[in-house]
Amino acid sequence: MSRRMTALVIGNADYPGQKLRNTTNDSEDMSGKLSEFGFSVIHLSNAEKREIDDSVKSFRDNLNSNDIGLFYFAGHGMQIDGENYITAIDTDFDTEMDAKYSSYPLNKVIEIMERSKNKTNIIILDACRNNPYERAWHRAPGQRGLAPVFAPKGTIVAFATSPGEVAGDGAGRNGCYTEALLKHISSPDIPIEEMFKRVRNSLSVITKNKQTSWEHTSLSGDFFFNISLVNTIGKYRKESIADELFHIKTDVELHSVISNLKSHDWYTQNPAARNLKIEDVNSSDADSAFVLGRNIYQAACGSANGASEFISGFRDRTQDMDVELRSSVFEGMLFEIFFNSKGELRENFKTSKFNKVFEYQQYSEFDESFKFISDILATYQNRFHIIPGKDRDVSVDVETRENDSGERKVIGVYLGGLNLLREDEDFGFYEDDGEVHYEALRKSAFERRLSEDMLIPSSKLTINFDFEADRTSKILFPYGYTVAK
């Protein structure tokens, strides 16, 4: 199930004369969490009013091409004449009137979201902090914090406190409300209303009953931040998605093959893959075939030649396999590239046989299997330049610089005008003078490196060099750098 989701996340802390402790952390952590769920996120930190206005306009454009819209704000919010405003770091707090016309009206955000073509809108406001500027205006207690708002159809508005109340900053990295929100937002398969109830209970504990969160909802359907893969896929059981839970039945021939493939012993894995009987697959079920595919791929990545041969000859070798079970084996191989034995998206994808499997994208008989994996991965679109499985040709431009020896050092790899080359956080091969070390690659090895890093099949990837590159060309790629998303 593919969900198109966009979010605008703002965290303001550097107010004149007063710096909030947690709000930029809150927005940073929320932005990261929403990205994990597949939201395309616009994130602003310590934004001026002009920047908020510009980002809301971009957000408005995004809403019409997405199904879900989310607006999150952490910072000072206030009500003036019954209307709510979110404040910028350049808001003028001298008087209520000054503040009103130098802040951003919340109703404008709500109206923009209401008029958009998307189905569901979520507004989260951690913006009820105790505001010293309001105290200077000698306001009545009921005028502090934010006023109740009307939630248009298909919208839920969540407040850190009840209307008219205020909240303090948290003692740790996050404010109390966002701390509670981050505790529960990743809970799988929980409707959003239930999730906010859990937030309210945790918030009560964190603040010793001093703060009560509040929501106004007019959602007409269910929304889940985190949908488990089992519910996303539906086609396979959870014991197959998290195949560490898969139960091996000793009296089932295909399960014996799977057990041997799991052994990490080439002398056991190779004959298991080479002697696999089609009739054993045909007499099994979709889940067993799916797990078989997963373990063939993992054995091949562990250098079991028999498993690699099975992948290379898959199309011919499986002609007599039941069509549905054949698809399940192939989908298991695809799935293993991206997901670990717990059914979680891998931190580091298994790419050594990536191109061997994705070569089959040229055959229409595998179209449904590639759609299967691309639909799953669309939920994690922030991890990919192009969602794997999509039948799309991609062209990148490589920028190089010639060194004194006539070798070409890579200084840029461009996709859509953006340089993808970046320092890998897990590495850092530098000399004391800051000079970068390079790895010498032949053209074919360099192209394979880009394909596997970018997770774009070689057959779909055109690489344009800024020099006449041939198979003997030596290309220097910087150690500790990557073009992965």
Side-chain angles (χ1 to χ4, degrees):
M1 179 182 68
S2 176
R3 301 192 295 176
R4 299 175 302 166
M5 304 184 291
T6 186
L8 172 57
V9 176
I10 302 173
N12 284 343
D14 292 344
Y15 290 99
Q18 189 214 22
K19 181 178 175 67
L20 293 176
R21 184 185 305 114
N22 312 102
T23 47
T24 53
N25 294 337
D26 292 339
S27 66
E28 179 182 330
D29 293 347
M30 278 297 297
S31 178
K33 186 61 65 176
L34 293 173
S35 294
E36 289 178 16
F37 299 144
F39 279 86
S40 173
V41 181
I42 302 171
H43 177 215
L44 292 181
S45 182
N46 288 321
E48 297 180 349
K49 186 189 177 186
R50 173 189 52 79
E51 294 174 308
I52 296 175
D53 192 50
D54 289 344
S55 66
V56 170
K57 289 176 181 177
S58 298
F59 181 52
R60 177 187 61 198
D61 295 338
N62 292 345
L63 285 169
N64 290 317
S65 58
N66 283 271
D67 301 315
I68 312 295
L70 185 147
F71 176 77
Y72 171 93
F73 178 78
H76 279 312
M78 58 192 175
Q79 59 171 297
I80 300 175
D81 299 328
E83 299 291 332
N84 289 321
Y85 295 84
I86 59 174
T87 62
I89 62 169
D90 60 347
T91 291
D92 183 352
F93 290 100
D94 282 349
T95 67
E96 286 191 37
M97 182 177 293
D98 292 329
K100 177 178 179 179
Y101 289 102
S102 58
S103 298
Y104 198 90
L106 179 61
N107 278 349
K108 185 174 180 179
V109 177
I110 295 173
E111 186 173 347
I112 286 172
M113 297 178 80
E114 179 184 11
R115 293 188 179 190
S116 65
K117 297 177 182 178
N118 63 319
K119 300 174 183 177
T120 302
N121 286 308
I122 302 161
I123 299 170
I124 303 175
L125 301 166
D126 194 353
C128 306
R129 287 168 169 78
N130 200 354
N131 190 333
Y133 308 108
E134 289 184 286
R135 293 199 304 271
W137 299 336
H138 304 294
R139 304 177 115 202
Q143 294 177 292
R144 295 176 185 170
L146 295 176
V149 297
F150 168 74
K153 184 177 179 181
T155 302
I156 183 168
V157 184
F159 293 88
T161 67
S162 299
E165 295 183 356
V166 296
D169 271 343
R173 173 176 171 81
N174 299 111
C176 297
Y177 178 69
T178 297
E179 178 186 342
L181 180 58
L182 291 169
K183 282 183 178 180
H184 297 290
I185 198 169
S186 295
S187 300
D189 307 324
I190 301 297
I192 189 170
E193 294 90 347
E194 173 63 26
M195 189 275 293
F196 277 121
K197 288 179 183 177
R198 297 184 180 189
V199 171
R200 186 158 34 255
N201 291 333
S202 291
L203 182 63
S204 178
V205 173
I206 292 169
T207 64
K208 296 180 171 52
N209 298 316
K210 293 179 180 178
Q211 188 174 335
T212 304
S213 57
W214 178 82
E215 301 86 42
H216 187 180
T217 180
S218 61
L219 293 180
S220 53
D222 288 333
F223 174 79
F224 307 83
F225 278 105
N226 186 15
I227 303 176
S228 65
L229 275 178
V230 173
N231 287 326
T232 299
I233 296 172
K235 188 174 181 179
Y236 301 108
R237 294 184 295 116
K238 66 179 181 180
E239 292 83 3
S240 307
I241 301 304
D243 71 329
E244 67 177 13
L245 305 176
F246 187 78
H247 177 59
I248 299 292
K249 299 178 181 177
T250 55
D251 59 339
V252 177
E253 287 296 328
L254 190 65
H255 285 209
S256 296
V257 175
I258 293 171
S259 179
N260 289 336
L261 289 169
K262 286 178 176 288
S263 68
H264 302 291
D265 179 349
W266 294 342
Y267 295 102
T268 303
Q269 291 172 321
N270 286 328
R274 287 173 176 147
N275 300 327
L276 175 66
K277 297 177 181 178
I278 299 301
E279 55 265 32
D280 288 343
V281 179
N282 288 343
S283 62
S284 69
D285 56 82
D287 284 284
S288 297
F290 181 76
V291 174
L292 172 68
R294 294 194 65 174
N295 283 278
I296 286 173
Y297 187 85
Q298 68 86 12
C301 290
S303 300
N305 291 332
S308 296
E309 293 163 7
F310 183 92
I311 294 173
S312 297
F314 182 83
R315 186 167 184 254
D316 293 331
R317 184 168 177 180
T318 59
Q319 288 293 333
D320 295 330
M321 197 175 287
D322 175 88
V323 173
E324 294 300 322
L325 294 174
R326 184 188 194 219
S327 294
S328 293
V329 175
F330 192 73
E331 287 165 9
M333 294 193 297
L334 287 169
F335 192 82
E336 184 69 16
I337 297 171
F338 304 102
F339 295 92
N340 64 23
S341 63
K342 298 181 183 294
E344 301 166 339
L345 192 71
R346 296 184 183 279
E347 286 294 323
N348 298 298
F349 300 119
K350 276 187 178 180
T351 59
S352 64
K353 304 298 176 182
F354 168 77
N355 273 300
K356 286 293 184 183
V357 174
F358 271 76
E359 282 178 4
Y360 294 104
Q361 200 167 8
Q362 63 186 302
Y363 302 110
S364 60
E365 65 206 74
F366 298 104
D367 285 352
E368 285 303 310
S369 292
F370 282 105
K371 183 178 185 303
F372 162 83
I373 197 64
S374 66
D375 283 350
I376 296 171
L377 296 177
T379 303
Y380 310 95
Q381 58 184 305
N382 62 302
R383 288 287 304 276
F384 306 102
H385 298 295
I386 305 295
I387 295 172
K390 296 288 187 185
D391 189 13
R392 179 177 172 183
D393 293 322
V394 179
S395 178
V396 299
D397 298 292
V398 177
E399 181 183 8
T400 63
R401 181 177 297 147
E402 189 173 5
N403 65 13
D404 295 339
S405 303
E407 299 165 326
R408 310 296 300 208
K409 296 193 298 187
V410 176
I411 61 174
V413 179
Y414 293 86
L415 174 63
L418 296 176
N419 189 357
L420 307 182
L421 190 64
R422 64 176 178 84
E423 189 177 349
D424 192 328
E425 295 175 357
D426 295 330
F427 296 90
F429 296 90
Y430 297 95
E431 295 180 353
D432 292 339
D433 60 3
E435 183 180 351
V436 179
H437 293 234
Y438 287 87
E439 176 185 9
L441 300 171
R442 294 299 181 189
K443 180 172 179 284
S444 59
F446 173 76
E447 291 174 334
R448 186 169 60 252
R449 163 73 69 84
L450 291 195
S451 169
E452 292 177 359
D453 273 8
M454 297 177 68
L455 286 164
I456 298 173
S458 295
S459 60
K460 299 291 181 181
L461 182 62
T462 299
I463 300 175
N464 307 302
F465 295 91
D466 61 356
F467 68 101
E468 292 297 324
D470 59 32
R471 65 183 184 85
T472 63
S473 298
K474 184 183 291 186
I475 302 167
L476 303 181
F477 193 82
Y479 276 115
Y481 279 71
T482 182
V483 292
K485 186 68 178 286

